[in-house]
Amino acid sequence: MKTRSNNHPDTIWYNARVATMETGGQPYGLIENGAVAISNGKISWVGVTEDLPGEPFDSCSDKLDCNGRLITPGLVDCHTHIVYGGNRASEFEKRLKGASYEEIARAGGGIISTVSATRAASEDELFGQALVRVEGLLSEGVTTLEIKSGYGLNVEDELKMLRVARRLDKQVPANIVTSFLGAHALPPEYAARSDDYIDLVCEQALPAAVAEELVDAVDAFCEGIAFSPQQVERVFDVARGHNLPVKLHAEQLSDLKGAVMAAQHGALSVDHLEYLDPEDVPVLSQNGTVAVLLPGAFYCLRETMLPPIKALRENNVPIALASDSNPGSSPVGSLLLMLNMACTLFRMTPEETLVGVTRNGAKALGIEDKTGTLEIGKNADMVLWDATDPAELSYRIGGNPCKRVMILGRVN
Ligand code: NIG
Ligand code: FE
């Protein structure tokens, strides 16, 4: 009987077009007639099928002939608010009759109406509702997902949301990371006392969430209808005290210079960015901050101001894309649809969009050393598609070309 070396592959997917999404080289890091070998949940070999070392290939019992189909890294949805109560279909109707997102928010609807529904829901109810939505994303090849709090807006309900996110991580095969978003909106009980609410976030909610190990990163919403850059800085200072990375909803509806402030705090990402001044973009590249664009929110709010894509490209700022899945500005259940919207609405290239939900999505979460590309040593998170051309993933609308998903070396 043969003894297995540590590197003996458990699984080999071969005869595929492998979009490694590595930088440099071919577009998409594409390997024709490629193969990927997996050992102990990690990628142990990537290359041209003919070059696979003979013996391990012959003795590997789990080999999949991909018949020339496409393999990509597992997709990363780096910005979601997928845990929430209720829905906002009636607001959608109001917006169609002419009310703006901002007007609805100022009249106590918007985020605050979801806060009421989320507070009223039990942890089990939130879990059950979110599970369905998460499974929808996973069925399209998402292997890593970020989930934010931000609809609790008090200690107890922010923690409830984050506990749901941690339970989801245990329940589903995908890797789920959390962001504490206590500074998402001002709860009604703090009306006209926003500094007091920031005190609550800084002194009670965030420390309590950290103490329960519920927080992987800290986010905030910097906007006229939310919090000022100065208030957000206070939250970021507390985050730094806990050694937590920060990120920010910035320049979605107006230019408050939140993105510059966040980048100067070393933010992993700044998200939305429609109103980001192109002149401020170099600050993002200087600090290695990812620009996360959210075409679902742009589309649903019928925004016309485009994010400064040209300046982002010229300054080599990594661009990620995400669903922003939430009940208000982006009731989106498909990450692939975001690729299409980013091409059509933002004129991004299909390659940029795929980089945005793989390599750069992982970077926006600070986990690019683990996932996001098909490279030796990274987690074996990958997807086999019923497609051959990587551009098919952004070109089609609807339908689900995902054939098989591997997460940490396991097909589920
Ligand atoms: O990312 N911009 C603020 N937060 C969410 C919207 C949440 C909501 O409308 O419920 C966003 O778009
Ligand atoms: Fe968001």
Side-chain angles (χ1 to χ4, degrees):
M1 206 168 105
K2 284 187 185 122
T3 46
R4 291 189 156 208
S5 78
N6 277 347
N7 270 345
H8 190 107
D10 308 316
T11 306
I12 298 172
W13 288 6
Y14 68 102
N15 191 18
R17 300 192 84 207
V18 180
T20 65
M21 307 314 286
E22 274 191 70
T23 41
Q26 297 297 315
Y28 301 95
L30 198 66
I31 302 172
E32 298 291 352
N33 190 22
V36 185
I38 310 304
S39 308
N40 301 318
K42 304 264 189 225
I43 296 169
S44 55
W45 194 90
V46 189
V48 176
T49 302
E50 278 79 61
D51 297 342
L52 263 168
E55 183 277 330
F57 180 78
D58 296 340
S59 57
C60 175
S61 58
D62 182 16
K63 291 187 288 260
L64 180 71
D65 182 346
C66 299
N67 292 311
R69 291 195 185 93
L70 176 70
I71 296 175
T72 69
L75 307 188
V76 178
D77 193 347
C78 68
H79 180 141
T80 88
H81 309 250
I82 211 161
V83 172
Y84 58 82
N87 75 67
R88 309 229 293 269
S90 65
E91 244 173 53
F92 174 64
E93 288 191 301
K94 282 192 191 120
R95 288 209 311 272
L96 286 170
K97 287 184 188 140
S100 74
Y101 181 72
E102 220 166 332
E103 280 161 10
I104 290 171
R106 289 194 187 281
I111 293 173
I112 293 307
S113 70
T114 299
V115 170
S116 308
T118 304
R119 286 178 176 177
S122 69
E123 192 179 306
D124 285 347
E125 283 164 347
L126 291 177
F127 176 80
Q129 290 161 15
L131 181 61
V132 176
R133 297 189 279 263
V134 167
E135 283 175 339
L137 287 176
L138 303 198
S139 71
E140 272 191 350
V142 171
T143 58
T144 302
L145 177 74
E146 184 255 20
I147 298 181
K148 301 176 195 298
S149 67
Y151 293 125
L153 307 186
N154 60 32
V155 179
E156 183 194 338
D157 292 301
E158 284 294 296
L159 264 59
K160 178 174 72 178
M161 290 185 70
L162 292 168
R163 286 188 201 115
V164 170
R166 288 288 194 238
R167 265 177 75 185
L168 288 164
D169 181 50
K170 290 210 182 76
Q171 176 78 23
V172 302
N175 177 30
I176 292 181
V177 301
T178 61
S179 297
F180 171 86
L181 180 57
H184 190 198
L186 189 62
E189 62 274 19
Y190 278 86
R193 293 192 295 133
S194 63
D195 284 328
D196 292 350
Y197 179 65
I198 294 293
D199 288 346
L200 176 86
V201 168
C202 292
E203 291 162 18
Q204 296 182 47
L206 179 51
V210 172
E212 247 188 71
E213 297 186 357
L214 296 172
V215 186
D216 298 323
V218 174
D219 194 353
F221 185 20
C222 185
E223 191 53 70
I225 54 170
F227 299 100
S228 69
Q230 294 72 24
Q231 290 173 321
V232 172
E233 269 192 298
R234 292 184 50 207
V235 181
F236 282 2
D237 288 340
V238 177
R240 186 182 304 113
H242 290 288
N243 275 325
L244 287 168
V246 297
K247 43 182 54 236
L248 188 64
H249 286 69
E251 274 68 81
Q252 182 187 12
L253 309 170
S254 60
D255 182 12
L256 296 188
K257 307 289 174 198
V260 170
M261 181 278 292
Q264 285 167 343
H265 279 258
L268 286 175
S269 72
V270 287
D271 303 40
H272 285 288
L273 305 181
E274 283 86 341
Y275 289 81
L276 175 63
D277 186 336
E279 306 241 311
D280 291 333
V281 168
V283 185
L284 273 54
S285 54
Q286 284 150 21
N287 290 282
T289 298
V290 177
V292 177
L293 304 184
L294 304 167
F298 177 93
Y299 166 81
C300 291
L301 300 183
R302 301 181 70 215
E303 182 55 72
T304 51
M305 182 73 162
L306 284 163
I309 307 267
K310 186 163 166 277
L312 293 170
R313 283 183 181 132
E314 283 171 1
N315 287 277
N316 297 314
V317 175
I319 302 175
L321 291 175
S323 69
D324 196 14
S325 184
N326 77 64
S329 63
S330 189
V332 164
S334 165
L335 188 58
L336 288 181
L337 180 59
M338 300 303 98
L339 306 196
N340 178 272
M341 284 189 181
C343 292
T344 308
L345 302 172
F346 297 166
R347 312 313 287 169
M348 285 174 67
T349 67
E351 185 182 5
E352 285 173 326
T353 66
L354 194 53
V355 171
V357 293
T358 54
R359 193 172 78 226
N360 289 349
K363 193 167 162 51
L365 298 176
I367 54 172
E368 69 272 27
D369 57 331
K370 295 202 185 78
T371 195
T373 61
L374 299 177
E375 287 177 86
I376 292 176
K378 286 207 181 175
N379 292 347
D381 298 340
M382 61 182 189
V383 183
L384 174 66
W385 303 94
D386 195 4
T388 51
D389 183 343
E392 285 180 66
L393 301 183
S394 50
Y395 149 76
R396 294 185 196 284
I397 301 172
N400 182 1
C402 176
K403 274 196 80 71
R404 198 176 281 227
V405 182
M406 177 184 281
I407 303 176
L408 287 170
R410 295 172 72 112
V411 174
N412 300 278

